[in-house]
Amino acid sequence: MDWLLRRCHAEVTAYIALYGGRQNGKTSLLLRLEASLRPAMPVCRLDFQLIKGASATQAFAFVAERIAESVPPASDPRTVADGP
């Protein structure tokens, strides 16, 4: 858990995939991680089970909405010409 917390606070240089069988504690670990990160860091939880069968457009819209709810933009998005 400490390693994950450090990775969350560090500069993003890689992504982490959490993979495992059913009932092995993946969701529990992520919920503990989320609780440890708040309120010092904004957290956006995406439950893809809510959009089962969604098209690519619907999935991207779902992700964008959840991110916008959790992490509001630092500036007016209409003023951003380009960005990572």
Side-chain angles (χ1 to χ4, degrees):
M1 180 67 143
D2 289 336
W3 181 84
L4 281 174
L5 283 169
R6 286 193 305 276
R7 296 304 317 144
C8 290
H9 286 286
E11 180 180 346
V12 177
T13 58
Y15 294 95
I16 300 167
L18 182 59
Y19 180 79
R22 295 186 66 216
Q23 301 296 314
N24 282 319
K26 297 178 302 294
T27 301
S28 296
L29 173 66
L30 292 175
L31 290 173
R32 284 182 41 224
L33 179 63
E34 179 181 355
S36 296
L37 290 170
R38 289 183 190 260
M41 176 181 282
V43 175
C44 178
R45 182 178 348 136
L46 299 170
D47 184 351
F48 288 103
Q49 294 179 58
L50 297 175
I51 59 169
K52 191 177 288 186
S55 68
T57 300
Q58 292 168 319
F60 280 115
F62 173 80
V63 170
E65 288 170 6
R66 293 307 180 275
I67 291 172
E69 291 169 0
S70 301
V71 187
S75 61
D76 183 344
R78 294 170 292 195
T79 65
V80 178
D82 192 17

